[in-house]
Amino acid sequence: MQKTILITGSTDGIGLEAAKALYSQGHHVLLHGRNPTKLEAAKQTLSGLSGGGRVESYLADLSRMADVAALGQAISHSHSQLDVLINNAGILRVTDTITNDGFDIRFAVNTFAPCLLTRRLLPLLGPTARVVNLSSAAQSPVDLEALAGRTRIADQLNAYAQSKLALTMWSRTMADLQKEKGPIFVAVNPGSLLATKMVKEGFGMAGKDIGIGVDILVRAALSDEFAGASGLYFDNDKGQFAPPHPDALDPQKCQDVVRVIEEVLVETT
């Protein structure tokens, strides 16, 4: 059965390769990117593949919550149902670390954007739909003041690690809140130091086979092993579901992080 699948950050890296794999299996893939030239190139790449899939493309800068809200509106206008949302877009090292709204760009792109986009698309996501949130092996305790934009994080990798833990905590909380209503929420570490642009720019290394990450995203989107995994964390470095950072298992800490995220989203939208 053809599924409609949105993948953010799908103009290169794991996102593009996962989009190609899913399109080739006959699914309707919604591409997203912030560079119009790269987005059109990705669309043309998919259109040239065999497999019978369909492709659409959507442009948005996920560091701007107004763009994220507009993206959600555009998809909701064109679709009444979404089967899978893969929140893949992420950012690590940048020159300008603070957004126009005054937040660390890692929290904006890696945490706030997927949370807001998912919220806006919930009416399209039924009980068996899936939200796959890309986490990381790098997870650090979240500084609530930094999350709220009131203090700065000096170390870029630490900011990234905090943003990924915050998303993992939000994913677990949403799974608890939605329960039988769905969709399924799962956080996935696709694999450490894969051959992505982020790894090349952030660590100056080629990285491991990107197919490792592509495989787990496709499985998370489609396979039965994730059908009952709502609220869980899959660590692809270990090849199995595993405990995330201990803070993600602390209900009070999760509540505090989610509260700040929701406050920021209200403030910025």
Side-chain angles (χ1 to χ4, degrees), residues 100-124:
N100 291 339
D101 294 320
F103 299 98
D104 188 291
I105 196 168
R106 275 61 58 109
F107 282 132
V109 175
N110 302 348
T111 308
F112 301 149
C115 295
L116 177 58
L117 182 60
T118 305
R119 284 284 197 188
R120 293 300 173 96
L121 295 177
L122 271 180
L124 280 62

Side-chain angles (χ1 to χ4, degrees), residues 145-163:
E145 291 295 298
L147 182 64
R150 291 189 285 267
T151 62
R152 302 287 180 250
I153 303 172
D155 182 77
Q156 297 215 44
L157 180 57
N158 184 249
Y160 173 84
Q162 289 194 39
S163 73

